[in-house]
Amino acid sequence: MGCQNPIDLLPKELLEQIQKYVDGKTIYIPKKSENRKHWGDNTDTKQFLASRNCQICSDYQDGMSIKQLAEKYYLSEKSIQRIIKQNNL
């Protein structure tokens, strides 16, 4: 994202209003919230993690220990405990 000259982007009246508050300063104007993407929106990561977590819970209900799950999924025991707790098991 590069800087753009506000003289080329904003009406003169609006630029003058902004200068009353931030004359000579650099500011960032964020996108509207409805245009913002959330974490994982551009990839399959959310779906992958949800599927993995579901499988972890299923394995736990089938009798696998926390330690076994941690080894199988290459996660810490704390992470396995958190996933199980989030799924109310």
Side-chain angles (χ1 to χ4, degrees):
M1 177 178 89
C3 293
Q4 294 184 318
N5 192 335
I7 293 171
D8 300 332
L9 299 173
L10 303 173
K12 182 180 179 189
E13 300 80 25
L14 180 57
L15 183 57
E16 289 172 355
Q17 285 293 313
I18 293 171
Q19 285 173 327
K20 289 180 182 179
Y21 298 95
V22 289
D23 191 26
K25 303 238 189 314
T26 302
I27 63 169
Y28 168 76
I29 300 172
K31 292 181 179 181
K32 293 179 184 176
S33 60
E34 68 263 11
N35 293 334
R36 284 190 179 172
K37 293 189 177 190
H38 296 92
W39 180 87
D41 284 349
N42 289 337
T43 65
D44 296 335
T45 303
K46 278 185 179 180
Q47 293 84 359
F48 169 79
L49 293 176
S51 175
R52 181 206 62 189
N53 293 352
C54 184
Q55 187 61 49
I56 288 171
C57 292
S58 178
D59 288 346
Y60 180 74
Q61 288 179 321
D62 289 343
M64 286 186 78
S65 70
I66 301 282
K67 185 174 183 171
Q68 290 170 323
L69 292 167
E71 290 173 3
K72 179 179 178 179
Y73 292 98
Y74 302 100
L75 295 170
S76 69
E77 292 182 25
K78 279 285 188 200
S79 292
I80 297 293
Q81 290 171 344
R82 179 183 42 79
I83 291 166
I84 290 169
K85 183 178 180 182
Q86 284 176 345
N87 287 278
N88 299 317
L89 298 178

